[in-house]
Amino acid sequence: MTETPGQPVPGSGDAALRAAAERAAATRNRNLPQFDDLPVPADTANLRQGADLHEQCLSLLPLVGVWRGEGEVVYPTIDGPYRYGQQVTFAHDGRPFLYYEARAWLLDEEGRVVRQAAREVGWWRPQPDDTIELLLAHSTGVVEIFYGRPRGQTAWELATDAVVRTATARDVTAAQRLYGIVEGGDLAYVEERAMSGQSMQPHASARLRRIVG
């Protein structure tokens, strides 16, 4: 993942616009399942539908959507590396936060699903000073509070300020994440973790393509 966009290639602008238009044609009319009888604004992962994005969330605008792709997980305490598939949702209801959900599944060497894997849900809460608060709850019994900031218009870096674990959860002590929109309009991220007696080091990375929004 690059920190900032590279220098433009002469003649590449039109091609990039055409590619973006082609991607949008396949995703622009898709959204999250909706309940027609919900008495308040529904979550939307499509900026063309539903409530207007709150102005405080404009720094997170490129994230809004549903993304799906593959990644790799590795750590000294596990066999691996392992491939995984993942779907990530960033949605909103017009208020100054984004709803976040991610679910993963392990893949074998041929790309076939082996079993379900990690799940996490949370809230991205951008503040007027550009600070981002991220509350994240994992199905493994870990709850984390991250703080971070945008790095330019299409990258976001966060690190944990607090980690709380249930009695049966893995001994996670800290984490860092970097998200960014990369070439082709994909969403990529890298994560580092300190856990199970190990120091902070790479744990997971993935590249996801937009399927909604």
Side-chain angles (χ1 to χ4, degrees), residues 41-44 51-52 91-97:
D43 288 345
T44 177
D52 291 335
H92 74 97
D93 64 4
R95 290 182 287 174
F97 55 81

Side-chain angles (χ1 to χ4, degrees), residues 1 15-17 38 56 71-72 76 81 86 92 107 127 134 143 145 147 152 163 176 182 205:
M1 184 186 309
L17 289 174
L38 191 67
Q56 203 161 298
E72 182 178 87
Q86 188 175 47
H92 74 97
L107 301 171
Q127 302 302 309
L134 170 58
V143 177
I145 297 177
Y147 282 91
V163 180
Q176 299 176 166
V182 298
S205 62

Side-chain angles (χ1 to χ4, degrees), residues 48-166:
R48 302 175 183 86
Q49 302 175 15
D52 291 335
L53 186 69
H54 193 283
E55 63 180 11
Q56 203 161 298
C57 291
L58 291 177
S59 65
L60 303 177
L61 183 151
L63 293 171
V64 176
V66 180
W67 309 81
R68 188 182 297 165
E70 293 187 11
E72 182 178 87
V73 60
V74 61
Y75 209 70
T77 58
I78 63 174
D79 295 330
Y82 291 117
R83 290 175 61 193
Y84 65 92
Q86 188 175 47
Q87 179 170 294
V88 172
T89 299
F90 289 91
H92 74 97
D93 64 4
R95 290 182 287 174
F97 55 81
L98 297 186
Y99 165 71
Y100 168 86
E101 179 181 7
R103 61 184 307 170
W105 48 94
L106 290 182
L107 301 171
D108 65 17
E109 293 180 355
E110 284 72 44
R112 295 174 300 214
V113 176
V114 176
R115 62 173 174 82
Q116 297 191 80
R119 296 194 67 169
E120 56 189 37
V121 296
W123 310 95
W124 290 59
R125 294 164 35 87
Q127 302 302 309
D129 65 353
D130 280 342
T131 299
I132 301 169
E133 300 173 356
L134 170 58
L135 288 71
L136 202 58
H138 301 260
S139 59
T140 53
V142 176
V143 177
E144 298 167 320
I145 297 177
F146 289 78
Y147 282 91
R149 302 184 69 86
R151 289 176 54 172
Q153 295 182 338
T154 57
W156 304 266
E157 187 171 26
L158 306 107
T160 50
D161 178 71
V163 180
V164 179
R165 307 181 302 274
T166 65

